Structures are given as C-alpha cells and as structure tokens.
Amino acid sequence: MKNIPHDYYLRFTDPLVYERILNFHCQGNFIIHDATRHSTSLHFFESKHLEDLTGNELRLYPPSKSIISADSMTSLSSDLHRNESCDYFDKSHIDFDTVKQIVEPLTSRQHNSFKRGYPSAGALYPTEIFVCCLTDQALDWPCEERILHLLPNSCEFEAVRNSEDVTPLKISILTKDTDIGSPALAIVYTSFMPKTVFKYRYRGYRMALMEVGSMYMLTDLQVKKVGLQSRLWSAYNDTMLCKSIGINPALFLPLCVQFIG
Ligand SMILES: Cc1cc2nc3c(=O)[nH]c(=O)nc-3n(C[C@H](O)[C@H](O)[C@H](O)COP(=O)(O)O)c2cc1C
C-alpha cells in the first residue's frame, strides 16, 4: 500500500467529468447564512402541506388483500436499533478514549489489512474523516489542535494545522436559527472526489454519497453503544466548512456532519 500525494489522483482524472460533477454538487450548497439571511429561505411550503408530505410511506398500489405482514419478533433493545436523533445536546465533554471507540468501526479491521469496517466501491475508500472537538472542557484532548484527521489504516489521527481555535468551525456548522445545545464533538465526513472520480467517473459521485451513509450509520450505532447521542447535520455552507478545516473545497466535498454529545 503506497502513500501517494493526494493531488496525484488528478493526473488520472478526466477534467470535464470532474467539473460537471462539481457544478452539479454546488447546486446543493447551503446558503442560509447570516450574510444572506435576508434574501434566502429554506422553502415556502405551508406547515400543513409539509405534515402531509413527510414521514409517510409510498404505496405503489391501492390497499389490497395481497398484503403480507412485515412485523418481526426482533426486540427493540437490539444493538441494531438506532436511537432517535438527539434534539438537544447538553453533555459538554467526551473522554478521548470514548472518541477513539466511536471511530473504531471506521478503521481497518486487522493489522496489515486495507479492509475497513464499512464497504467502499472498488476499495477506494475516498471518505476522509475529521473529528472536531467543540468544547473547551476536553482536558484530555491529546493536542493543542482541536481538529483531527483520521488515518484509518494506521489507526492514528493527524492534527489539523492551525485548528487550535474552532470558532470558525462552530460558526460554519452551528447555525443561530436552530438551537441544538452544545454537542461535544462533530465528525465531518468529506469525500475526496479525485479518488472516486478518476476510476468511476459520474458514478463515483453516487458511490461516494452511499459510502458516507454507511459510515455515519455505523458511527450512530457505536455512539449508542457508548451511551451517547448523535444527530446528522447538513445545514452548513460547504465552502465555509472547508475553509474552517483548511481543506480545498474543490477537492474535498463535506457531505455530512454528525454531532455527538
Ligand atoms: C443526511 C442527513 C442530514 C440531516 N441534516 C439535518 C439537519 O441539517 N438538521 C436537522 O435538524 N436534522 C438533520 N437530520 C436529521 C433528520 O431530520 C432526522 O434523522 C429525521 O427527522 C428522523 O428523525 P430521527 O433521526 O430521530 O429518527 C439529517 C439526517 C440525515 C440522514
């Protein structure tokens, strides 16, 4: 397994395919922010319409006799049953040993194996994980830098340079409009796009999204196991978030944030 410079992938990437994917992705960027709050809105739907349109199931046919029960005997206490998303975080601190436990399903299964705890199309593993400490009370945090980049094969973290002050990060992910309390930790799932696009082209984008979904679900279950709570978050501006971590938004797409506390 070679350690190659991350921009080396661009040599093998079709620039037109890459540009089109990025242009499409940018259409979904979140622009509800202090700077644009007077001219932007999430939607204009009335709440009664939203109530009808959310949380329901899609029936393909009118109710008929050929309906088969899917009720099972599985207990709700099964490890595979997730908790509901946390509405308000009031836990201010998570031990660093617990942080390590939380990311454990995302690392290599065995020493000397490139296989990880989640599947990845073509074993490319294009998702890069940033573990961010959002609280001042984490006394056992191992370094001055508050953002750590996970190295899943080596089972190590590298400290993100100049991340001693996480105020810009907090401004980019914790919007004033929604009060969810104070999550102690944020995991930022970013997709390093050259890695997936060079091989799978347009389809690589789809597979990158699915990979992150499988990763945050594993983390969600692990968070439950260690007695904490989590909530996924997509209400942030990609460019602001990348800037606060110090990564290039044309290479790394921050696909989702997971708050933990
Ligand atoms: C990809 C993704 C992004 C999400 N982004 C947000 C968000 O920005 N803000 C929020 O309040 N909840 C967010 N959620 C949480 C959902 O609103 C929540 O999962 C849904 O209401 C179902 O509730 P439950 O998780 O408690 O079962 C997100 C969930 C997913 C899967």
Side-chain angles (χ1 to χ4, degrees), residues 179-217:
D179 187 12
I180 51 152
S182 311
L185 207 68
I187 297 186
V188 182
Y189 297 87
T190 71
S191 192
F192 179 61
M193 288 313 284
K195 212 178 190 186
T196 178
V197 170
F198 93 88
K199 185 170 179 195
Y200 293 124
R201 298 169 66 88
Y202 299 102
R203 211 170 179 81
Y205 181 65
R206 179 196 303 215
M207 295 188 293
L209 301 178
M210 290 192 283
E211 180 168 317
V212 168
S214 73
M215 294 171 79
Y216 69 55
M217 203 52 242

Side-chain angles (χ1 to χ4, degrees), residues 37-56:
R37 62 188 307 125
H38 302 298
S39 54
T40 51
S41 177
L42 190 55
H43 60 75
F44 296 103
F45 295 115
E46 289 173 32
S47 54
K48 72 176 165 58
H49 288 140
L50 274 185
E51 270 167 37
D52 289 346
L53 295 169
T54 51
N56 54 1

Side-chain angles (χ1 to χ4, degrees), residues 193-242:
M193 288 313 284
K195 212 178 190 186
T196 178
V197 170
F198 93 88
K199 185 170 179 195
Y200 293 124
R201 298 169 66 88
Y202 299 102
R203 211 170 179 81
Y205 181 65
R206 179 196 303 215
M207 295 188 293
L209 301 178
M210 290 192 283
E211 180 168 317
V212 168
S214 73
M215 294 171 79
Y216 69 55
M217 203 52 242
L218 278 176
T219 309
D220 192 60
L221 293 174
Q222 184 79 345
V223 164
K224 175 185 165 192
K225 198 171 165 193
V226 299
L228 294 170
Q229 289 191 289
S230 86
R231 183 174 200 95
L232 288 157
W233 203 251
S234 49
Y236 54 83
N237 178 282
D238 293 11
T239 325
M240 272 179 83
L241 176 50
C242 283

